[in-house]
Amino acid sequence: MRSKETTMRFWIECTKFETGQPIHINIALVGSMSRDGERTVLAFVGGDGQTIEVTETPEQLLERHFGAMGKA
């Protein structure tokens, strides 16, 4: 009997800082988010050091895709 594997993929939509164009990124590839002035830097998992700069803050990205977070 063959088993069928189900893969769930989650994508975040953000806006490229340089061009203002929308971009979709697989959330599993994002290793970290940090701020650099008005830019949010998304660093990808892996050893090649790739990053992308977007206009949304990390909080805006998380709220848009995962809903409002409860306040402590």
Side-chain angles (χ1 to χ4, degrees):
M1 177 187 271
R2 288 178 108 169
S3 64
K4 188 174 182 179
E5 226 175 281
T6 303
T7 304
M8 295 180 72
R9 296 175 190 242
F10 298 94
W11 300 88
I12 56 174
E13 180 182 344
C14 35
T15 309
K16 286 189 95 169
F17 192 84
E18 305 85 19
T19 64
Q21 296 296 313
I23 185 169
H24 290 84
I25 299 171
N26 183 325
I27 198 163
L29 300 178
V30 177
S32 67
M33 289 189 279
S34 62
R35 289 293 283 170
D36 181 13
E38 294 184 10
R39 302 169 189 222
T40 296
V41 179
L42 302 178
F44 296 103
V45 174
D48 57 8
Q50 285 188 322
T51 61
I52 187 170
E53 296 177 349
V54 300
T55 59
E56 294 85 0
T57 66
E59 293 82 8
Q60 288 170 324
L61 288 171
L62 293 172
E63 186 172 327
R64 180 188 310 166
H65 296 286
F66 299 110
M69 304 296 279
K71 296 188 179 192

